Amino acid sequence: MKVTLDYDACHGHQSCAIAAPEVFGADDIGNAVILVEGEIPAELEAKTRRAVGNCPEHALTIED
Amino acid sequence: MTTIDPVIDPTSDYDIFDPQYLLDPFPTIEQIRQSSCPVAHTERWGGSWMPTRYADIVAVAQEHDVFTSRQILVTGPPDGQEPEGAYAGVAAPPISSDPPEHHWHRRLILPFFAPQAVAKYEHITRDLCNELIDRFIDNGEADSAADYAQQIPVRVIATMLGVPTDMSDTFTGWVRGVREAGLVDQEVRVAARGNILGFFFEQVADRQANPREDDLITTLLNSEIDGQKVPVEYVMGVCNLMLVAGVDTTWSSIGASLWHLAQHPEHRQQLRDDPELWPAAVEELLRAYAPVTMARIVDRDIDFQGCPMKAGDRVLMSFPAANRDPEQFENPNEVIFDREHNRHVAFGAGIHRCAGSNLARLELRVALQTWLERIPEFELADPSTVTWAGGQVRGTRIAKVKF
Ligand code: HEM
Ligand code: SF4
């Protein structure tokens, strides 16, 4: 599983980082950064799905 | 006192200051949502439209070219014109700005509010909460709204702005002037606004004469846009907004959350048993007790969900309504800390998403954690004496508890 970010749609709610701090962080203006390169480790998949489902701007997408 | 005519049909005549609506707006909102037109209209308070579905409210927030921020108060002059006066040219950027200016108005302040930047306020917030509790813990009772919630955010913001924290009561009075009494009485609002801007005019002059290290106002005064120093009106406007946007919002949300926890021992227990739940619990309390309703002004005549909106009309964005839409949230009226998905919009959506959201969450978490550590068991002293403010910002104002 991979996750991608549409940076233009992201408005820095940080709901993603709250749900999955291992996978998402913040840049200097508080918008999302994806901390995991490539495949999301299996043990973080559930958290990542939750994070994606919490983003009010639909800026995150999962690619299975 | 303002008298409110009784509301018979909220779909065509709602009143956000109706006493019943102030106490509990959700049955009215649900009634509108289930009706043939889920976008209600009223002529009261200058007239406005009020969508009640999550999808419609988020659409209004995201479509900023149609729904402008020329005026964001829920009452008052719809064109946003302030009366002539000393500070007529000062607005409240970025909340009162539209693109393209909105971009730099917001960009310059965002670094102060990133999660890593606000983390430094955790310590002072915790100390402050402990000091407040020290004052009343031996009494066995306290007003969780007035003695606690109300006291916290104003001091955090004063610290952030580098202005005297011992003026907190004065600041609180000004903020209430703009956002409570001022919503139904324009004279009160204009006077409070004059006090705030007069104060920041002096603060800005002081920083120009005596620049400070590591100071928000000094940093803003020195920032440049296209090779030019930013206008002083911008800096005053940002300070004005931080005071008005950062105080009663966060205090209302701390207050409403304590009111909830006072009545739900099982939720207090859940947080004690599983401290890892805290971040999700804070989001869920923000969802269920979203304090803020904002407004937009329609830029041009449009048809929105079958409603003929005219240029200049006001549209309310009730984020409390969005967050209780059963189409978006299962069992929306229940507080469920471990909800699978929580796309709540307590902080709005789109380009005006609350810039202070990371600070607000930190304050809410620390205020609730500190309270529960020191006062694990408590209940409302008398539910019938609890009062709520509403309109623009919803939260408890008097909520006595015993422990
Ligand atoms: C629980 C507390 C809070 C809530 C629920 C809240 C809610 C909101 C909402 C809904 C908006 C969007 C306004 C719009 O779309 O017109 C907003 C904007 C804003 N808030 Fe907050 N707020 C809170 C706390 C704070 C704090 C502590 C600050 C810090 C000073 C702050 C600063 C701002 C600013 C600067 C904006 C304007 C952003 C822009 O227009 O680009 N807020 N807030
Ligand atoms: S939740 Fe969505 S909008 Fe918010 S920071 Fe994450 S990706 Fe961006």
Side-chain angles (χ1 to χ4, degrees):
Chain A
M1 178 179 127
K2 282 186 185 161
V3 63
T4 57
L5 166 71
D6 174 357
Y7 192 83
D8 290 337
C10 171
H11 292 296
H13 288 258
Q14 287 294 313
S15 311
C16 52
I18 290 166
E22 301 87 345
V23 182
F24 303 98
D27 64 12
D28 66 317
I29 59 166
N31 281 357
V33 249
I34 299 180
L35 306 172
V36 177
E37 254 181 71
E39 287 288 313
I40 304 293
E43 69 277 12
L44 295 176
E45 280 190 5
K47 271 189 169 180
T48 306
R49 279 184 206 285
R50 192 172 193 149
V52 170
N54 282 4
C55 171
E57 311 287 349
H58 295 257
L60 298 167
T61 320
I62 285 181
E63 290 168 14
D64 281 299
Chain B
M1 261 322 276
T2 325
T3 48
I4 307 273
D5 291 333
V7 173
I8 311 294
D9 177 6
T11 64
S12 59
D13 188 32
Y14 63 84
D15 192 325
I16 55 173
F17 296 104
D18 181 71
Q20 194 51 47
Y21 190 89
L22 286 179
L23 204 58
D24 182 6
F26 298 109
T28 306
I29 289 168
E30 189 55 22
Q31 185 189 343
I32 299 172
R33 204 187 275 125
Q34 298 303 334
S35 76
S36 55
C37 185
V39 183
H41 186 264
T42 191
E43 292 297 336
R44 299 189 189 208
W45 306 106
S48 60
W49 300 91
M50 181 166 72
T52 51
R53 290 188 300 213
Y54 179 94
D56 294 343
I57 295 161
V58 171
V60 171
Q62 289 178 333
E63 287 168 28
H64 50 80
D65 56 327
V66 180
F67 301 100
T68 73
S69 293
R70 269 169 232 158
Q71 174 59 279
I72 33 75
L73 291 178
V74 295
T75 65
D79 55 5
Q81 285 286 302
E82 290 296 340
E84 302 283 307
Y87 307 111
V90 181
I95 218 168
S96 56
S97 323
D98 286 308
E101 289 77 18
H102 174 265
H103 181 75
W104 75 260
H105 287 177
R106 177 176 171 89
R107 178 73 182 73
L108 285 185
I109 62 167
L110 284 177
F112 297 105
F113 290 107
Q116 57 278 21
V118 298
K120 67 172 178 226
Y121 299 105
E122 172 143 5
H123 194 70
I124 68 141
T125 307
R126 181 159 283 121
D127 287 351
L128 169 62
C129 292
N130 273 311
E131 274 167 40
L132 293 167
I133 295 173
D134 287 341
R135 292 188 200 166
F136 53 67
I137 190 158
D138 294 332
N139 302 346
E141 58 172 29
D143 185 332
S144 60
D147 299 340
Y148 191 67
Q150 179 184 328
Q151 305 295 328
I152 302 164
V154 64
R155 288 177 173 77
V156 177
I157 286 290
T159 307
M160 196 170 180
L161 286 167
V163 300
T165 47
D166 57 12
M167 285 183 65
S168 298
D169 290 345
T170 308
F171 297 147
T172 302
W174 293 343
V175 171
R176 297 184 82 158
V178 173
R179 297 255 266 215
E180 290 178 22
L183 287 177
V184 292
D185 184 338
Q186 295 300 316
E187 263 176 48
V188 172
R189 188 175 69 80
V190 171
R193 178 185 134 88
N195 283 328
I196 295 174
L197 293 178
F199 173 77
F200 284 117
F201 181 78
E202 284 171 18
Q203 292 294 316
V204 164
D206 169 72
R207 298 308 189 285
Q208 285 170 323
N210 314 294
R212 295 188 194 169
E213 291 276 325
D214 202 14
D215 171 66
L216 190 144
I217 298 179
T218 308
T219 310
L220 282 179
L221 281 169
N222 289 335
S223 39
E224 293 186 357
I225 222 66
D226 299 330
Q228 300 250 317
K229 282 252 168 88
V230 301
V232 169
E233 290 77 18
Y234 166 75
V235 180
M236 284 176 61
V238 166
C239 294
N240 170 32
L241 174 61
M242 280 181 59
L243 190 64
V244 178
V247 172
D248 60 340
T249 49
T250 319
W251 135 37
S252 294
S253 135
I254 297 169
S257 301
L258 282 173
W259 174 83
H260 175 88
L261 291 170
Q263 300 169 86
H264 290 274
E266 75 285 10
H267 288 159
R268 304 197 296 261
Q269 188 61 40
Q270 223 186 336
L271 288 166
R272 270 194 292 274
D273 293 345
D274 183 5
E276 288 201 3
L277 257 182
W278 269 105
V282 165
E283 296 309 301
E284 175 64 352
L285 290 165
L286 281 163
R287 181 194 68 80
Y289 300 105
V292 176
T293 297
M294 297 297 296
R296 291 290 187 263
I297 301 298
V298 180
D299 180 61
R300 48 186 179 269
D301 296 1
I302 51 150
D303 177 284
F304 183 77
Q305 300 295 333
C307 298
M309 295 185 177
K310 296 263 173 291
D313 282 1
R314 187 195 312 264
V315 182
L316 304 187
M317 294 188 294
S318 168
F319 297 114
N323 282 354
R324 299 272 190 129
D325 183 351
E327 281 284 311
Q328 179 68 27
F329 302 97
E330 235 173 274
N331 299 322
N333 295 323
E334 264 173 60
V335 168
I336 306 170
F337 289 159
D338 47 7
R339 230 172 234 290
E340 179 56 22
H341 289 307
N342 188 358
R343 259 186 236 278
H344 79 80
V345 285
F347 294 118
I351 62 169
H352 291 279
R353 183 272 310 166
C354 176
S357 59
N358 300 306
L359 179 64
R361 284 173 171 131
L362 178 148
E363 292 182 52
L364 182 56
R365 176 175 52 79
V366 171
L368 299 181
Q369 283 175 336
T370 312
W371 179 288
L372 288 184
E373 270 160 35
R374 308 260 327 254
I375 309 175
E377 293 305 325
F378 63 109
E379 61 186 316
L380 292 178
D382 175 1
S384 70
T385 59
V386 174
T387 64
W388 292 80
Q392 193 103 32
V393 179
R394 175 166 197 270
T396 50
R397 291 296 175 267
I398 299 172
K400 297 212 170 83
V401 295
K402 53 184 185 191
F403 38 85

